[in-house]
Amino acid sequence: MPSSEGPLLHRRRLGAELRRLRGERTLEEVAEATLISTSKLSRLENGQGVPQPRDIRDLVNFYRLDAQIAERLRRWASAGRSQAWWREYSDALFTGLATYVDYESGASTIRSFAAAVVPPLLQTEAYAVELYRVLPAIKTDESARRVLEVRARRQHLLVESDDAPQLIFVLDESVLRRPFGSPDDVREQLDHLHSVSRQRNVSLRVVPFSGGLHAGLVGLFTILQYADDRDRDVVAVESHTGERILEQPSNVLEYLRIFDAITRKALDHDESRALIAEIRDRTTHSPKGTP
């Protein structure tokens, strides 16, 4: 079975190590000695090329690497050629989602803010079905079904599994109050948020309306952070045209500052759960099921 961690992360690790090993040498020097083109070397060092065994062999020999480092490079290269489990859904994944899932698959901490919709990792199936009906990228029922399968697999690996990463969610109160589907669907989603918020690896906090305006009102973004220093943290910003990945450290730092500013306006964990329960109960007693 394919690894739950995507090939992109292994290519990035391999690239970071190859850049370190090259040191002060130019790409041209390494290319001339190994007979690997400078364009291929550049792609490998940037985590964009598919690493071939012969290229790794030649680089190992050129850099005179010890057995331990050489094996690490071979392992990353092999994993970088692997097929991710979501590859079979590539026909249904809208722009940027496959790349985002690749980044997401190896994160040790995921920080996500949502101003309008429940983040995918916290959605019930009924919520996701209603959302997919209004998303322009989902054009057929079959596409929706396949994207639902990807969402369910992501939830299992990142929310429910024993080695799940740390998940930190901050939601605007409007996320909880936006009606969709039937009253039972709304209550199911609120119950699910309340339940998930108690899991050991999940932190869920709500920014109440009383907090006023805040920096996150422009939309949904997710910060993906990694335990391995070779993996550069990234930010994913969601829009109608898909996920936009920001890799520059300055961008990541700015979004961390924004996330911290939003979090300071949020209720604490117990207060957030109490608000979710209050809105759920109000929905239960509302004749129209409106939050």
Side-chain angles (χ1 to χ4, degrees):
M1 179 177 294
S3 169
S4 61
E5 190 170 87
L8 175 61
L9 294 171
H10 296 285
R11 293 174 192 173
R12 279 164 38 105
R13 291 166 191 159
L14 175 66
E17 185 68 1
L18 291 177
R19 286 196 304 275
R20 185 190 70 80
L21 289 168
R22 182 160 60 84
E24 298 300 319
R25 302 178 184 90
T26 66
L27 282 171
E28 288 73 18
E29 288 178 80
V30 179
E32 183 178 357
T34 60
L35 301 181
I36 303 173
S37 70
T38 55
S39 60
K40 179 183 285 190
L41 283 172
S42 178
R43 289 196 301 274
L44 287 175
E45 290 190 4
N46 286 302
Q48 297 172 347
V50 178
Q52 299 302 318
R54 185 175 66 178
D55 296 331
I56 301 305
R57 180 202 64 195
D58 292 344
L59 288 167
V60 164
N61 291 336
F62 173 70
Y63 290 129
R64 300 178 183 273
L65 302 180
D66 63 37
Q68 184 177 9
I69 297 177
E71 178 55 31
R72 188 166 63 211
L73 291 187
R74 294 188 190 99
R75 187 172 64 250
W76 284 334
S78 176
R81 294 190 298 274
S82 66
Q83 297 294 321
W85 63 261
W86 55 88
R87 179 67 179 269
E88 63 184 282
Y89 298 96
S90 58
D91 60 313
L93 300 184
F94 42 88
T95 305
L97 182 55
T99 300
Y100 172 78
V101 174
D102 211 329
Y103 279 108
E104 180 188 70
S105 67
S108 59
T109 301
I110 298 176
R111 302 173 189 269
S112 186
F113 170 75
V117 298
V118 176
L121 294 180
L122 300 179
Q123 293 170 2
T124 61
E125 182 171 337
Y127 186 99
V129 167
E130 289 293 323
L131 183 61
Y132 293 165
R133 286 176 179 165
V134 300
L135 288 180
I138 307 292
K139 295 180 171 55
T140 67
D141 291 341
E142 176 61 14
S143 293
R145 183 189 67 78
R146 289 172 64 74
V147 175
L148 278 170
E149 290 180 5
V150 173
R151 180 196 57 85
R153 181 76 176 271
R154 290 165 62 197
Q155 288 182 343
H156 173 70
L157 293 171
L158 298 172
V159 183
E160 303 166 10
S161 65
D162 292 337
D163 58 348
Q166 184 68 28
L167 303 175
I168 304 170
F169 298 99
V170 178
L171 311 182
D172 189 85
E173 185 176 339
S174 62
V175 174
L176 309 178
R177 295 189 179 276
R178 187 176 301 279
F180 72 96
S182 70
D184 286 342
D185 292 338
V186 174
R187 285 189 285 270
E188 179 192 31
Q189 179 64 75
L190 292 169
D191 278 336
H192 182 64
L193 292 174
H194 193 276
S195 174
V196 169
S197 72
R198 294 186 177 278
Q199 291 187 198
R200 59 173 180 76
N201 65 311
V202 175
S203 168
L204 193 160
R205 297 175 63 184
V206 178
V207 181
F209 287 151
S210 60
L213 298 176
H214 57 78
L217 289 175
V218 294
L220 187 150
F221 65 87
T222 300
I223 304 167
L224 303 170
Q225 297 175 286
Y226 304 91
D228 193 321
D229 290 340
R230 299 179 187 87
D231 296 329
R232 302 185 302 278
D233 297 343
V234 300
V235 176
V237 182
E238 187 171 316
S239 70
H240 284 297
T241 57
E243 300 282 355
R244 185 163 59 101
I245 304 296
L246 306 177
E247 300 188 53
Q248 289 298 323
S250 59
N251 289 330
V252 176
L253 182 59
E254 181 62 22
Y255 272 90
L256 281 169
R257 288 171 177 160
I258 292 171
F259 192 87
D260 287 343
I262 299 167
T263 303
R264 285 196 293 272
K265 289 200 168 190
L267 302 173
D268 67 24
H269 301 93
D270 291 335
E271 292 169 336
S272 296
R273 275 192 288 268
L275 179 58
I276 293 170
E278 176 190 335
I279 296 173
R280 177 199 59 203
D281 293 344
R282 189 175 302 164
T283 302
T284 301
H285 296 105
S286 168
K288 295 184 179 180
T290 304

